[in-house]
Amino acid sequence: MTKDGLMDRARRTVQEAQHVVAFSGAGLSAESGVATFRDAATGGQWLKHDPMRLASQQGFREDPDLVIRWYSERRRNVARAEPNAAHRTLAAHERVMNVTQNVDDLLDRAGVKDVTRLHGTLVRDRCNAGCGFEEPIELADPPPFRPCPACGDHMRPSVVWFGEALPAGAWERAADTCTQCDAMLVVGTAAEVYPAAGLIDVARASGAAIIVINTQPSAASGSADLELIGPAGEVLPALLAS
Ligand code: OAD
């Protein structure tokens, strides 16, 4: 099918769907200048750094300063970034539910009212010992490695590291949304990290049409009913245009 033919079919699928969910990953924010993890063309962090040193309990125990410095750099970068056309398009279509793996706040800043976050957020810190203390931080001026004011252990970003469970309730909420949708837009994710990537199967098993939007084929390609190759900032506005 031609590119135009694919886009027409995808548009019709979305228009006919009652419930649409956008399941997004780092590619959604790539055009805002936020680095991805596995895509060399967009700063793939895990192609340059060992994720176990920067995003695991073991890495934090071994060199907490290194971990916090890396997150501070990412936080400052996100503070400088602006939502792009893809974030703005999702915000403009309130009927599209948002489930994201992203830890930046660009969907929120674009005006999306309700985001289910599978991997936490950069805009908060929490106690690493799990005493329950957490607080908002300034992305532009992130705090250094510091003790938890409540229990004396250490503060860390409120994000999910390798080997850790998803935030309480996040999976249940996301799975509910994906079970109810008729169309899922899989936007800018390599779909390699589980359990998050399993949401594509959840939606598919519930009968939803899977529309994959990515600059290149990905692990989600095999599950796609329709695959739209191109940058999310161009494809999403075209797809959701009325
Ligand atoms: P990845 O970096 O693994 O994948 C990003 C995907 O976006 C790739 O498939 C790119 O081809 C695609 N891409 C790049 N630019 C794009 C654009 N402008 N438009 C559309 N697609 C584009 O990022 P994720 O799949 O989000 O986990 O990674 C999943 C998780 O792995 C992250 O949430 C993070 C990481 O470890 C945690 O932090 C827990």
Side-chain angles (χ1 to χ4, degrees):
M1 206 184 302
T2 63
K3 219 173 166 180
D4 285 351
L6 272 176
M7 179 58 89
D8 283 348
R9 249 171 86 174
R11 253 198 220 120
R12 229 173 312 131
T13 303
V14 171
Q15 278 162 5
E16 286 165 8
Q18 274 206 326
H19 300 285
V20 182
V21 59
F23 169 54
S24 55
L28 175 68
S29 299
E31 289 157 84
S32 296
V34 179
T36 62
F37 296 97
R38 297 172 186 81
D39 177 27
T42 51
Q45 292 288 300
W46 298 157
L47 305 174
K48 300 187 222 165
H49 309 290
D50 175 1
M52 296 317 281
R53 287 187 71 201
L54 297 174
S56 77
Q57 270 308 329
Q58 188 193 328
F60 190 55
R61 248 192 329 269
E62 282 171 12
D63 195 343
D65 267 321
L66 175 79
V67 172
I68 297 300
R69 275 204 312 275
W70 184 71
Y71 274 97
S72 294
E73 199 183 311
R74 284 181 65 200
R75 283 171 154 170
R76 285 190 208 99
N77 184 252
V78 168
R80 285 190 295 268
E82 294 292 338
N84 65 51
H87 298 108
R88 290 196 299 272
T89 298
L90 292 171
H93 290 80
E94 281 188 28
R95 78 186 185 98
V96 179
M97 308 293 291
N98 278 278
V99 175
T100 193
Q101 298 165 88
N102 294 348
V103 293
D104 64 52
D105 62 346
L106 296 178
L107 278 170
D108 313 71
R109 278 200 263 147
V112 177
K113 297 208 177 66
D114 188 13
V115 183
T116 301
R117 302 189 161 282
L118 293 166
H119 291 163
T121 175
L122 287 176
V123 306
R124 298 183 75 80
D125 265 359
R126 69 173 171 83
C127 172
N128 189 49
C131 82
F133 184 83
E134 61 168 344
E135 63 183 2
I137 62 92
E138 272 298 320
L139 285 178
D141 186 19
F145 177 52
R146 69 198 198 286
C148 170
C151 77
D153 201 88
H154 300 297
M155 294 299 283
R156 56 166 279 188
S158 277
V159 297
V160 175
W161 285 336
F162 285 93
E164 292 183 329
L166 303 190
W171 172 261
E172 291 75 6
R173 192 158 185 250
D176 255 16
T177 306
C178 296
T179 302
Q180 285 162 27
C181 75
D182 315 292
M184 172 187 264
L185 315 179
V186 179
V187 186
T189 176
E192 288 180 19
V193 172
Y194 283 79
L199 288 172
I200 301 169
D201 298 324
V202 170
R204 206 176 150 72
S206 304
I210 309 293
I211 302 174
V212 172
I213 298 161
N214 199 309
T215 43
Q216 58 189 328
S218 67
S221 300
S223 308
D225 294 289
L226 292 160
E227 187 168 38
L228 305 173
I229 297 289
E234 290 173 21
V235 176
L236 268 179
L239 176 64
L240 293 174
S242 35

